[in-house]
Amino acid sequence: NAGVMQNPRHLVRRRGQEARLRCSPVKGHSHVYWYRQLPEEGLKFMVYLQKENIIDESGMPKERFSAEFPKEGPSILRIQQVVRGDSAAYFCASSSPDTQYFGPGTRLTVL
Amino acid sequence: LAKTTQPISMDSYEGQEVNITCSHNNIATNDYITWYQQFPSQGPRFIIQGYKTKVTNEVASLFIPADRKSSTLSLPRVSLSDTAVYYCLGHGSGNTGKLIFGQGTTLQVKP
């Protein structure tokens, strides 16, 4: 992992609460991707952002999920009114032109 | 994005060379082939990337035949710590967006 930071590493929320997941890309990278991984499954693409722009959100659920990558600061994945099915590992990646480097992930548990 | 097919699982013993082959029949002319390694509860770790022929780094070798319809990841002298899931992906060059992860190959290294 070439320096992608994610926090928190573990997040516990009760149903109906909000979850905010943060991702700081490798210094100098301006492209960020979010993926979700359910237990025993592969990673599923959610959203691709550049600074201040959403490039591809084809993998985002239509409701409750949003993402941003502001000019300053980390990228944020926000899940409103969490449900038990949102429990998963969420990984962020940033890219040099040809390679995505992944962070350690945030494990979200919804009680 | 190239659709990839790889074995679900493989077993090996410490000290052996392991070769994992990935099929990508519909790979585009400009697509790269990238392999990632993932340990439980961690983000995917970049192993190696190539376009054609052979690429070698301190961790692995990647063999890509002239027709580019398949590729083989070679891990020399595996150890117990190489037990992980290995993903093969075909994707465009540049910041071209999402990666499509399959189920990967679960490699189990035995003592």
Side-chain angles (χ1 to χ4, degrees), chain A residues 37-56:
Chain A
Q37 187 173 34
L38 297 171
E40 309 302 324
E41 294 188 12
L43 283 78
K44 303 295 184 189
F45 167 79
M46 299 182 75
V47 63
Y48 164 32
L49 310 104
Q50 292 182 21
K51 289 278 188 181
E52 299 183 284
N53 283 305
I54 297 174
I55 306 303
D56 181 357

Side-chain angles (χ1 to χ4, degrees), chain A residues 1 9 31 33 35 37 41-45 48 56 58 91 95-105 107, chain B residues 32 34 36 38-46 49 87 91-103:
Chain A
N1 296 336
R9 293 295 310 277
H31 299 257
Y33 309 78
Y35 295 82
Q37 187 173 34
E41 294 188 12
L43 283 78
K44 303 295 184 189
F45 167 79
Y48 164 32
D56 181 357
S58 59
F91 294 100
S95 65
S96 62
D98 299 319
T99 307
Q100 291 185 24
Y101 297 95
F102 286 81
R107 303 209 172 279
Chain B
Y32 281 95
T34 302
Y36 288 90
Q38 187 179 27
F39 298 113
S41 303
Q42 295 187 27
R45 170 179 166 250
F46 171 84
Q49 182 180 78
Y87 294 99
H91 60 90
S93 59
N95 290 302
T96 52
K98 62 187 175 186
L99 298 178
I100 305 296
F101 284 81
Q103 288 186 300

Side-chain angles (χ1 to χ4, degrees), chain A residues 17-80:
Chain A
Q17 292 184 320
E18 178 179 286
R20 277 179 174 255
L21 289 62
R22 288 176 290 276
C23 169
S24 296
V26 173
K27 186 176 181 180
H29 287 183
S30 58
H31 299 257
V32 164
Y33 309 78
W34 286 93
Y35 295 82
R36 177 166 63 177
Q37 187 173 34
L38 297 171
E40 309 302 324
E41 294 188 12
L43 283 78
K44 303 295 184 189
F45 167 79
M46 299 182 75
V47 63
Y48 164 32
L49 310 104
Q50 292 182 21
K51 289 278 188 181
E52 299 183 284
N53 283 305
I54 297 174
I55 306 303
D56 181 357
E57 55 182 348
S58 59
M60 287 279 270
K62 298 298 181 199
E63 298 178 347
R64 302 189 297 108
F65 285 72
S66 62
E68 63 176 2
F69 188 17
K71 186 176 180 181
E72 301 291 337
S75 175
I76 305 289
L77 179 67
R78 181 182 178 203
I79 311 172
Q80 295 178 291

